[in-house]
Amino acid sequence: MLAALLALGLIFQGQLTHWVTASPRLQTATTVFTGVFVQAVPFLVLGVMISGAIAALVSPELLRKILPRNETAAIGVAGLAGIALPGCECGVVPVSRRLMDQGAPGAAAFAFLLSAPAVNPVVLVATAVAFPGQPGMVGARFTGSLATAFVMGYLWAKFGRPEWFRIQPHGHDHWAPGRSRWQVFTEAARHDFLQAAAFLVVGALAAAALHVLVPASWYRDLSGQMIVSIGVMAVLAVVLALCSEADAFVASSMSSLPLLPRLVFLVVGPAVDVKLFAMQAGTFGRRFAIRFAPMTFLVATVCGAAAGYLFLGAR
């Protein structure tokens, strides 16, 4: 499909160029789309390369062995393990399932599920590049995302019920008997790149559309209603379902909005969105997903807003 689109673009290059240059709004949309996409691609490539290496070199068995037996301590270790283990949101779901299959506490597995896509160095560096001169955005995103992972882990440990979920042999699992490390690396990197790139295109298109279709007065109205703008950006994060290695560039393009709602967008997105809900329902069961996803949305929104006020103030 990608090759066909590129071929069509080359064939109709002249007509497309004339069409775009004839409309100032299309010129603006094209500029925004290109800027978001080009800025994000290097971090996307770096992220999937690291993700592939992690898949090839760090097995779920190793992750299980380093987790403490105490559930509370295991939640903390699993949440912090996300700092060193970058990967796409979908790739973390089967790893979390494997951890539970091998006896790891469910609360620890879910803390890792939420932290790994959001607090790793690739995501934090991408956030710093997307928001130059705003180091508070990096600290706030790290704190809000890690707090979300810890809170959800502790909530599951206290209120979770094993009968709420069932584990099925579905989902994308890079580890399989008979595969070499190189095969695991290439397969994991290819899968993560294709999925993340597809959602990056969607996000860049959405950013371009928001620039040209949404009146500037709407952004000004949202800027004056912080609670409403936080809610709108949280819901937008769920709907767009962007890759965590590229979502910062989409958020930075919404420059008419204050920093705080855009931070909530960055905290909520990697924790809960439509594709994650579908994967969790298929992996752990619908009874789990319909409880876990809404609570994650609420906790991520609150933690993101709290971290934003701590690091950014009401901006």
Side-chain angles (χ1 to χ4, degrees), residues 226 258-261 263 305-315:
M226 188 64 72
L259 290 176
L260 184 55
L263 171 68
Y309 275 110
L310 178 64
F311 284 86
L312 304 171
R315 293 191 287 154

Side-chain angles (χ1 to χ4, degrees), residues 11-303:
I11 294 171
F12 298 102
Q13 181 179 5
Q15 294 92 323
L16 290 173
T17 301
H18 175 74
W19 185 39
V20 170
T21 54
S23 171
R25 298 181 75 184
L26 280 178
Q27 290 183 32
T28 301
T30 302
T31 301
V32 172
F33 174 85
T34 304
V36 171
F37 192 83
V38 170
Q39 278 188 305
V41 162
F43 295 96
L44 186 61
V45 172
L46 176 61
V48 299
M49 294 290 287
I50 296 176
S51 177
I54 294 296
L57 300 175
V58 181
S59 68
E61 289 84 353
L62 178 60
L63 291 178
R64 180 186 58 81
K65 289 178 181 177
I66 66 175
L67 289 177
R69 294 183 179 273
N70 179 273
E71 187 173 39
T72 301
I75 293 171
V77 171
L80 293 173
I83 299 174
L85 298 175
C88 68
E89 293 91 330
C90 70
V92 176
V93 173
V95 173
S96 300
R97 173 177 58 82
R98 178 71 69 84
L99 287 172
M100 294 179 64
D101 284 345
Q102 295 171 341
F110 298 143
F112 176 78
L113 172 75
L114 296 173
S115 71
V119 301
N120 64 74
V122 176
V123 170
L124 297 179
V125 171
T127 304
V129 173
F131 292 90
Q134 297 289 347
M137 284 293 288
V138 180
R141 183 174 194 179
F142 175 83
T143 303
S145 297
L146 195 60
T148 299
F150 286 157
V151 171
M152 286 303 299
Y154 291 128
L155 286 176
W156 176 265
K158 187 172 181 61
F159 301 107
R161 298 290 183 269
E163 60 269 19
W164 287 352
F165 66 87
R166 55 187 172 82
I167 296 181
Q168 299 175 337
H170 298 308
H172 189 82
D173 197 349
H174 301 305
W175 279 87
R179 288 184 180 178
S180 67
R181 293 187 185 276
W182 174 250
Q183 289 175 319
V184 172
F185 169 79
T186 55
E187 198 275 340
R190 178 194 60 80
H191 170 268
D192 289 0
F193 178 78
L194 289 177
Q195 189 202 53
F199 285 104
L200 172 58
V201 171
V202 173
L205 287 172
L210 288 172
H211 267 76
V212 299
L213 298 178
V214 178
S217 59
W218 289 21
Y219 288 111
R220 288 194 295 269
D221 292 341
L222 279 178
S223 298
Q225 303 179 59
M226 188 64 72
I227 295 178
V228 175
S229 60
I230 287 174
V232 169
M233 292 299 288
V235 172
L236 189 62
V238 175
V239 174
L240 290 183
L242 298 177
C243 164
S244 60
E245 291 150 0
D247 58 1
F249 298 97
V250 175
S252 69
S253 71
M254 304 175 187
S255 54
S256 300
L257 289 174
L259 290 176
L260 184 55
R262 289 187 280 169
L263 171 68
V264 172
F265 176 86
L266 298 179
V267 173
V268 171
V272 55
D273 59 37
V274 289
K275 74 175 186 299
L276 278 174
F277 178 83
M279 290 196 66
Q280 291 169 3
T283 302
F284 301 108
R286 283 179 294 180
R287 294 182 65 191
F288 167 82
I290 60 177
R291 290 172 172 84
F292 190 78
M295 182 56 67
T296 301
F297 176 82
L298 177 61
V299 170
T301 302
V302 172
C303 288

